[in-house]
């Protein structure tokens, strides 16, 4: 008995940023397992469980669009905040966006449709009251009702994801010529337990499906 | 300060008339467009900027309503006394835990700055607690029908440089959208509101900001922009009671011509004269058989 879940995920835009192209963001051609995990965690997650992505079905043609926006160039320096906290005043604690501006482009995906198959595993943090059946039921119930902890998104928060619980996936609209592709090394996930190391896997799309499980068995690169 | 207990999914409709709602830096400041459909776009960050400016203006120096990402150099910061009297000063403990310290820092920032409490922010701390995800999430705004941007040449009868003094006038360009009705979807998340301290009062202020922000964002480039309609779906619970996209599907935007009414974008409207006023549109929301626990609110039009 495996405890799995199938979700149909749609959106107008998506950007699964390639780590090697983060400044002028360029998206991967397809959703990464880590983005899929994030979407499921938006619906249900507890420290006791770990979502594992098994397969990603690409159900729409891969298309890109370029968007350029004004962004700020810096993060909030913690030291300045500490100074202001000590002084007990926010005087001068702000960031003038006109003077700290970058224009960055994003190569985003358009009109994406994915099917995601995942299962959950228990972590050492699981207590006696936690069992996979209970958590998968909770996740399924929430997905069915459209409940979520926060709005799931497709790579970045400005691109919300429409998530539907399904039993099977619809007919793919991916052109036959694009169904078998070698997508090269792709981010699998970030290993938080190992100092946030990036893990990569060799993504092969076979008949429109990326079999993450099979790639995992073949081994991940660090 | 009462904490938020409901999830909201909302759609904000706004119009632009003879103006440029959001220029595209990649296209010489032409109005942003979706190259595939010619629908106009306005980015999420453009709208957040307007919300920030409105709050900064409406709240001035009121404690707890600072705006961190300011647009123009702030005058009068010396008079700002946004320090929360309830806040205990961080004690210099021996070997303070990094995580605890980071949480203190983010907590303090959330209490003092409205925009961080609402939209979140990234702060550099060695601990990854320095990231605040805000409860309010906006997507891109998109026009309900394709827009037709115009390039308007204008002249200026004075010159900037001494060497051009014999020229009579210089030429400039403005890009405008004659008319467009845009819709943006937004999401408000009570679970994240708990973490940043975004309260019911903040939410009321946010709705006001959406309504009035265009009135304080007048400029030569903007033309006439106006917030027209806010459709809110209020969920009974923090986790929500229905899928957001299922709720948004209930909203229908219709084109009107005399007595004829057709869905916006319908093929039969293609040879109609282009829409040039908000009255050419009608926004209807199917409120039949709403999922249990979801309330439809249209606070500006009085209609439920």
């Amino acid at each position: 008995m495996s405890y799995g879940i199938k979700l149909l995920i749609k959106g107008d835009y998506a950007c699964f940023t390639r780590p090697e192209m983060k400044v002028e963001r360029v998206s991967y051609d397809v959703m990464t397992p880590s983005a899929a995990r994030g979407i499921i965690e938006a619906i249900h997650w507890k420290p006791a469980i770990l979502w594992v992505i098994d397969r990603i079905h690409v159900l729409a043609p891969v298309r890109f669009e370029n968007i350029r926006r004004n962004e700020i160039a810096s993060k909030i320096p913690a030291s300045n905040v500490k100074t202001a906290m000590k002084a007990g005043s926010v005087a001068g604690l702000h960031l003038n966006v006109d003077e700290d501006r970058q224009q960055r482009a994003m190569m985003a995906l358009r009109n994406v449709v994915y099917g995601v198959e995942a299962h959950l595993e228990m972590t050492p943090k699981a207590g006696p009251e936690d069992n996979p059946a209970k958590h998968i039921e909770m996740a399924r119930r929430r997905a069915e009702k459209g409940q979520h902890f926060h709005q799931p998104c497709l790579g970045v928060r400005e691109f919300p994801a429409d998530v539907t619980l399904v039993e099977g996936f619809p007919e793919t609209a991916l052109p036959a010529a694009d169904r078998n592709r070698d997508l090269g090394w792709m981010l699998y996930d970030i290993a938080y337990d190992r100092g946030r190391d990036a893990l990569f896997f060799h993504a092969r799309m076979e008949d429109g499906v990326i079999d993450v499980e099979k790639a995992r068995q073949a081994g991940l690169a660090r | 300060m009462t904490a938020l207990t409901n999830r909201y999914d909302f759609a904000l409709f706004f119009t632009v008339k003879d103006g440029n709602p959001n220029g595209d830096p990649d296209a010489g400041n032409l109005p942003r467009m979706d190259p595939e459909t010619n629908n106009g776009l306005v980015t999420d960050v453009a709208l957040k900027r307007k919300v920030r400016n409105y709050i900064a203006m409406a709240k001035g120096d009121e404690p707890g309503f600072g705006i961190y990402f300011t647009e123009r150099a702030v005058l009068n910061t010396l008079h700002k006394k946004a320090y929360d009297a309830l806040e205990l000063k961080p004690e210099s403990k021996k070997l303070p835990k990094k995580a605890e310290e980071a949480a203190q820092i983010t907590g303090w920032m959330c209490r003092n700055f409205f925009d961080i409490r609402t939209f979140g922010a990234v702060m550099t701390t060695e601990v990854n607690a320095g990231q605040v995800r805000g409860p309010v999430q906006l997507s891109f705004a998109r026009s309900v029908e394709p827009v037709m941007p115009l390039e308007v040449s204008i002249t200026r009868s004075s010159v900037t440089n001494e060497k051009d003094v014999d020229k009579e006038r210089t030429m400039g360009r403005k890009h405008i959208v004659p008319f467009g009705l845009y819709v943006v979807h937004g999401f408000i998340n009570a679970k994240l509101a708990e973490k940043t301290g975004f309260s019911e009062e903040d939410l009321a202020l946010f709705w006001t900001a959406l309504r009035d922000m265009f009135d304080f964002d007048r400029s030569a480039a903007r033309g006439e922009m106006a917030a027209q309609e806010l459709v809110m779906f209020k969920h009974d619970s923090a986790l929500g009671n229905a899928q957001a996209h299922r709720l948004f599907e209930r909203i229908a935007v219709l084109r009107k011509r005399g007595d004829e009414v057709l869905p916006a974008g319908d093929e039969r409207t293609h040879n109609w004269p282009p829409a040039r006023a908000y009255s050419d549109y009608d926004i209807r929301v199917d409120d039949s058989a709403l999922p249990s626990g979801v309330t439809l609110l249209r606070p500006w039009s009085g209609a439920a």
Side-chain angles (χ1 to χ4, degrees):
Chain A
M1 177 77 200
S2 78
Y3 295 100
I5 191 165
K6 283 185 182 174
L7 296 171
L8 185 68
I9 297 168
K10 288 182 190 175
D12 290 347
Y13 290 89
C15 182
F16 310 107
T17 311
R18 289 174 179 268
E20 69 273 24
M21 291 189 252
K22 276 169 85 163
V23 177
E24 299 267 308
R25 297 180 197 89
V26 177
S27 175
Y28 278 116
D29 290 20
V30 298
M31 178 153 63
T32 60
S34 83
R37 176 181 60 84
I39 288 177
I40 303 183
E41 282 179 359
I43 294 164
H44 176 65
W45 181 79
K46 286 278 189 301
I49 58 171
L50 170 76
W51 287 106
V52 182
I53 307 298
D54 295 327
R55 269 166 295 283
I56 296 174
H57 300 247
V58 183
L59 304 173
V62 177
R63 295 207 312 259
F64 286 94
E65 184 179 312
N66 198 17
I67 300 162
R68 187 176 290 272
R69 290 179 295 180
N70 290 328
E71 301 182 12
I72 50 161
S74 44
K75 292 187 231 172
I76 301 176
S79 54
N80 291 12
V81 180
K82 277 188 210 164
T83 314
M85 279 166 80
K86 286 217 171 66
S89 148
V90 295
L93 183 70
H94 56 78
L95 188 134
N96 189 351
V97 296
D98 304 0
E99 291 162 16
D100 193 30
R101 179 166 283 174
Q102 292 177 338
Q103 288 196 333
R104 289 186 180 184
M106 171 196 285
M107 189 64 100
L109 293 165
R110 280 308 314 274
N111 297 336
V112 296
V113 183
Y114 298 109
V116 169
E117 291 179 52
H119 70 272
L120 61 78
E121 290 171 4
M122 305 312 283
T123 65
K125 289 188 176 147
E129 72 285 0
D130 291 305
N131 62 67
K134 170 185 131 174
H135 283 290
I136 204 83
E137 269 317 300
M138 279 175 84
R140 293 178 70 92
R141 236 186 351 255
R142 282 194 191 177
E144 206 162 29
K145 283 189 195 162
Q147 295 189 310
H148 49 240
F149 182 82
H150 59 86
Q151 177 66 35
C153 65
L154 291 156
V156 283
R157 284 189 81 202
E158 54 267 42
F159 301 151
D162 298 346
V163 183
T164 321
L165 181 74
V166 291
E167 292 307 316
F169 297 123
E171 196 61 36
T172 175
L174 191 66
D178 296 339
R179 285 186 199 177
N180 293 297
R181 285 175 55 195
D182 188 330
L183 297 161
W185 289 101
M186 196 163 131
L187 181 78
Y188 170 72
D189 214 328
I190 308 284
Y192 291 93
D193 53 344
R194 292 204 305 247
R196 310 184 66 200
D197 259 359
L199 301 167
F200 288 86
F201 76 112
H202 193 157
R204 284 191 186 84
M205 184 150 61
E206 284 160 7
D207 199 22
V209 183
I210 298 158
D211 198 328
V212 185
E213 198 177 21
K214 207 160 85 178
R216 244 194 322 269
Q217 284 154 3
L220 300 168
R222 291 184 55 188
Chain B
M1 286 296 185
T2 38
L4 219 59
T5 50
N6 309 85
R7 186 181 120 194
Y8 290 84
D9 299 311
F10 66 90
L12 168 72
F13 288 86
F14 61 91
T15 50
V16 60
K17 185 168 170 292
D18 295 332
N20 182 353
N22 185 207
D24 187 347
D26 266 343
N29 211 32
L30 250 102
R32 287 183 193 274
M33 287 172 67
D34 175 340
E36 288 178 334
T37 63
N38 283 353
N39 287 76
L41 294 173
V42 175
T43 57
D44 59 315
V45 285
L47 295 165
K48 285 178 182 176
R49 177 78 265 156
K50 292 183 192 356
V51 171
R52 284 188 167 106
N53 289 352
Y54 176 83
I55 302 289
M57 198 199 51
K59 283 292 180 181
D61 292 347
E62 198 172 314
F65 291 94
I67 294 292
Y68 185 84
F69 296 99
T70 53
E71 197 163 22
R72 285 163 221 95
V74 180
L75 304 167
N76 249 347
T77 46
L78 294 175
H79 302 305
K80 268 202 175 215
K81 267 276 180 251
Y83 182 63
D84 216 353
L86 298 170
E87 167 66 19
L88 298 168
K89 285 195 180 173
E91 294 160 31
S92 49
K93 288 183 193 123
K94 282 177 189 171
L95 297 173
K97 282 183 190 155
K98 275 260 182 276
E100 201 177 300
E101 196 179 284
Q104 265 185 336
I105 288 175
T106 49
W108 191 83
M109 290 300 272
C110 285
R111 268 194 299 284
N112 283 304
F113 291 101
F114 181 88
D115 57 341
I116 294 178
R117 204 159 59 227
T118 309
F119 301 127
V122 179
M123 302 183 224
T124 47
T125 50
E126 277 121 81
V127 190
N128 203 16
Q131 279 196 23
V132 187
R133 261 186 322 173
V136 178
Q137 190 176 338
L138 291 175
S139 58
F140 277 25
R142 173 175 282 273
S143 66
V144 296
E145 286 185 297
V147 293
M148 172 73 204
L150 300 179
E151 194 170 27
V152 183
S153 286
I154 49 174
T155 59
R156 184 175 65 153
S157 44
S158 53
V159 291
T160 311
N161 292 321
E162 192 76 44
K163 62 177 176 12
D164 297 330
V165 78
D166 49 348
K167 284 188 191 168
E168 295 227 330
R169 49 174 50 119
T170 45
M171 300 287 282
R173 298 191 173 287
K174 286 179 97 162
H175 297 285
I176 61 164
V177 172
F179 184 82
L181 172 66
Y182 289 73
V183 58
V184 59
H185 290 166
F187 310 90
I188 296 177
N189 174 338
K191 285 286 180 192
L192 291 178
E194 279 170 31
K195 293 188 176 178
T196 68
F198 182 84
S199 65
E200 289 282 0
E201 291 83 351
D202 288 332
L203 181 65
L205 184 61
F206 178 72
W207 297 133
T208 313
L210 289 188
R211 193 190 64 200
D212 295 344
M213 61 189 181
F214 296 114
D215 287 331
F216 297 95
D217 186 59
R218 304 283 178 213
S219 77
R222 292 273 176 262
E224 286 177 45
M225 292 182 74
Q228 299 283 6
E229 180 70 349
L230 179 64
V231 179
M232 289 190 222
F233 295 99
K234 181 179 179 178
H235 299 252
D236 276 356
S237 62
L239 286 174
N241 304 62
Q243 280 155 316
H245 59 285
R246 288 275 170 275
L247 297 174
F248 291 140
E249 279 166 10
R250 295 172 164 269
I251 303 175
V253 183
L254 305 167
R255 269 297 302 277
K256 291 191 297 197
R257 185 176 69 165
D259 296 335
E260 282 182 281
V261 177
L262 288 171
D266 191 290
E267 277 182 18
R268 285 165 295 177
T269 66
H270 285 187
N271 55 3
W272 286 18
R276 283 292 180 265
Y278 182 57
S279 55
D280 292 338
Y281 289 103
D282 191 11
I283 295 165
R284 290 187 195 167
V285 188
D286 173 14
D287 58 356
S288 60
L290 274 169
S292 63
V294 178
T295 325
L296 167 67
L297 300 165
R298 295 176 75 172
W300 303 345
S301 53

